[in-house]
Amino acid sequence: MLEQNQKQNGRLFCDLLIDDCSLLAADMTIMDHAAIAITDGRITDILPQNAAAKKYTAQETISEQNKLWLPGLVDCHTHTGQQLLKGKVLDELPMIWTRIMLPFESTLTPEKMRLSAEIAALEMIAGGTTGFVDSGSYYMAEAGKIYQQSGLRGALSHSTMDQGNFPASIKETAAEALAQTDALYDEFHNKGNLKVFYSLRALMNCSENLIVQAAARAQERNTYLQAHMNEYAGEINYTLERYGLRPFAYLEKLGVLSRSFLAAHCLMLSAAERKLLAQHDVTVVHCPFSNCGKGVPDTPSLMQENISVALGTDGAAHGGLSLWNEMKIFRSVMNAVWGTKLSDPAVMPAKKILAMAFAGNKLLQDKKANLTGLTVGAPADMISLDWSKIHLCSSQNRINSLLECVNSGDVCDTIVNGKFLLRKGGFLTLDKEKIIRELQKFTAAETKKAC
């Protein structure tokens, strides 16, 4: 019937037409009274609302007055395996990674990982995060199955390291660690909305052999290699003492750095290391809330050198999975440290920080990725915000208010690859009530053990 209508009235067909809405366009301006056409999971047109009905016949049309549509946010550094640690690391003494986090991850089971992935997926979908990069844990195939069901776009990794004094349950040789990622890759890479990245958990816990082989595997399989980098002084001292080189210089010597290298944290970079990042087109990921307890990155210098910077939550042990919170914290920290030093209150303006929250789309999507706003041809990974809420509707600058005022609870709809995962606040791919019951049962059992 639709094909006949097209022939009769000359209209184009689309799967979904979002009509009479506002949207963040690719030039980072707000377009009002607009329409968005989506076909086969992609944004096929953005046009004035009054022209849409004449141009398109849609399988489904929804009118979205008082909603602002924008690209989904991408969490470029998160930890699925740490979801059940929420609330347990704040105010703890340093080196929580080796004292708390890894010991906890050594106790993971397939059941714990499935529950972790379920609650992570719910929190991301509800908060407008359409894509994520997991930095690596254990039983990641179990997480992958949940993420496939959720419909989120994401990248999985296995926690890869072969040296260090860790519990026996997570000790692996280089060959064993790589085999785990190989198996994950074979099962999930480019299956649905998921990819698989190779990883180095931390340089001090990875032999030179493992580093070189992981980089080679990633290159052979045309995927990314990620690592925690320059987060603690101890990491830098390790490569200085052992190799006489700072971490990024050491990796360059090994031939590891490339545009397919993803470097999380990067709080303590020398000028020479920044040049290496720019030279090799490495993407840096800052995690503002987590990083505040360790240091403040010199992001203005990174930006001046055209180094790509993305955002992550490092969650959920650190502050949850809200990128809206991370953006607010990041803006405040940048102003407090660099803005006051340079007498520049716009040292990190709203548009730049928003672009950081979208930057991960280039890792997970394709060449037409949504990097600054909704883009024709890009995958339809989008979210809507209820702009009729009292703390938003009085805004005199909606771009600024995206950064200053929006919270996860303002997200109404979440779409990935053209499919609704959240519609008017209701989950469509996961059973929220069932997952909460499972979580409550787990929490009660853990509390009983502790008594």
Side-chain angles (χ1 to χ4, degrees):
M1 181 64 70
L2 284 173
E3 290 181 0
Q4 292 176 353
N5 287 342
Q6 284 179 268
K7 292 176 183 177
Q8 291 172 359
N9 59 32
R11 293 176 185 168
L12 298 173
F13 171 75
C14 65
D15 296 326
L16 174 65
L17 186 67
I18 300 174
D19 198 24
D20 199 13
C21 66
S22 298
L23 61 88
L24 179 66
D27 63 357
M28 277 207 163
T29 60
I30 302 293
M31 181 177 177
D32 292 315
H33 305 296
I36 308 165
I38 297 172
T39 305
D40 294 332
R42 289 187 177 269
I43 301 169
T44 49
D45 203 356
I46 294 173
L47 68 166
Q49 181 265 335
N50 57 15
K54 297 176 183 178
K55 186 174 181 180
Y56 286 99
T57 296
Q59 184 172 330
E60 181 183 7
T61 299
I62 56 176
S63 181
E64 298 292 86
Q65 291 181 0
N66 298 319
K67 286 188 180 179
L68 174 63
W69 286 86
L70 60 152
L73 312 181
V74 181
D75 187 341
C76 288
H77 187 78
T78 189
H79 290 264
T80 300
Q82 294 175 6
Q83 301 306 303
L84 301 174
L85 266 178
K86 189 175 288 185
K88 290 190 176 182
V89 299
L90 191 67
D91 297 336
E92 289 289 340
L93 294 173
M95 295 312 293
I96 57 174
W97 185 65
T98 52
R99 291 191 306 103
I100 299 174
M101 292 176 172
L102 279 179
F104 172 81
E105 287 188 48
S106 74
T107 69
L108 285 171
T109 62
E111 294 75 21
K112 283 184 181 179
M113 182 52 84
R114 284 196 295 272
L115 180 57
S116 295
E118 285 173 335
I119 60 178
L122 284 178
E123 187 171 353
M124 285 190 280
I125 291 169
T129 295
T130 55
F132 67 91
V133 177
D134 186 283
S135 59
S137 190
Y138 305 95
Y139 300 106
M140 286 304 298
E142 298 299 324
K145 294 170 188 174
I146 299 300
Y147 285 132
Q148 279 185 328
Q149 180 185 348
S150 76
L152 285 166
R153 196 180 298 278
L156 309 173
S157 290
H158 175 72
S159 180
T160 308
M161 51 189 179
D162 64 343
Q163 60 187 29
N165 184 26
F166 301 125
S169 62
I170 59 174
K171 280 191 175 181
E172 293 177 321
T173 64
E176 289 169 338
L178 289 169
Q180 290 280 0
T181 310
D182 289 344
L184 201 63
Y185 183 97
D186 292 340
E187 184 173 359
F188 292 103
H189 190 71
N190 284 336
K191 308 289 175 62
N193 296 331
L194 297 182
K195 295 181 182 294
V196 172
F197 294 173
Y198 283 77
S199 81
L200 305 169
R201 195 69 184 256
L203 296 190
M204 67 177 68
N205 302 117
C206 295
S207 67
E208 187 169 302
N209 175 48
L210 176 56
I211 294 170
V212 171
Q213 287 199 54
R217 283 286 218 294
Q219 184 177 19
E220 289 165 7
R221 296 187 166 208
N222 193 31
T223 190
Y224 282 82
L225 174 66
Q226 60 174 321
H228 294 75
M229 295 293 299
N230 295 43
E231 184 179 7
Y232 298 99
E235 296 174 89
I236 298 167
N237 292 338
Y238 170 80
T239 58
L240 284 172
E241 291 170 3
R242 189 156 185 168
Y243 307 109
L245 298 167
R246 289 178 67 90
F248 281 103
Y250 170 56
L251 292 184
E252 193 206 25
K253 183 181 178 182
L254 297 180
V256 168
L257 298 182
S258 74
R259 67 184 308 168
S260 296
F261 191 86
L262 189 62
H265 303 301
C266 295
L267 303 181
M268 306 168 191
L269 296 171
S270 67
E273 285 181 299
R274 290 200 302 271
K275 288 181 181 178
L276 289 176
L277 293 173
Q279 177 185 332
H280 294 282
D281 199 16
V282 170
T283 297
V284 167
V285 185
H286 293 326
C287 303
F289 185 79
S290 170
N291 292 163
C292 279
K294 305 154 196 167
V296 177
D298 188 357
T299 313
S301 293
L302 294 175
M303 295 288 196
Q304 287 172 4
E305 297 181 43
N306 294 316
I307 295 166
S308 178
V309 183
L311 286 178
T313 61
D314 207 13
H318 288 293
L321 301 177
S322 170
L323 284 168
W324 304 104
N325 286 346
E326 299 294 338
M327 285 190 278
K328 291 181 183 66
I329 292 166
F330 186 68
R331 168 69 185 227
S332 298
V333 170
M334 288 293 104
N335 276 11
V337 174
W338 302 112
T340 55
K341 182 178 180 179
L342 302 171
S343 295
D344 181 4
V347 67
M348 195 59 58
K351 287 184 179 180
K352 280 193 175 182
I353 297 177
L354 284 168
M356 290 168 64
F358 303 145
N361 282 314
K362 74 174 185 179
L363 311 176
L364 301 177
Q365 297 182 1
D366 52 35
K367 292 180 180 179
K368 292 185 177 180
N370 292 304
L371 298 180
T372 51
L374 296 180
T375 304
V376 173
D381 293 8
M382 307 157 40
I383 61 175
S384 77
L385 304 172
D386 180 359
W387 214 261
S388 67
K389 289 193 173 182
I390 192 65
H391 62 288
L392 298 177
C393 66
S394 61
S395 172
Q396 302 300 302
N397 184 320
R398 283 174 285 180
I399 299 292
N400 287 352
S401 292
L402 283 171
L403 194 75
E404 292 179 304
C405 302
V406 171
N407 300 301
S408 292
D410 299 320
V411 176
C412 296
D413 306 286
T414 299
I415 295 177
V416 175
N417 206 33
K419 295 181 179 179
F420 279 99
L421 312 187
L422 185 80
R423 178 65 177 140
K424 297 182 178 179
F427 294 92
L428 301 183
T429 58
L430 296 172
D431 188 337
K432 176 185 174 183
E433 286 71 26
K434 180 173 179 270
I435 293 168
I436 289 176
R437 287 196 300 271
E438 291 173 356
L439 180 59
Q440 289 171 336
K441 183 178 178 181
F442 171 82
T443 303
E446 291 297 300
T447 302
K448 188 174 180 180
K449 283 182 191 176
C451 292

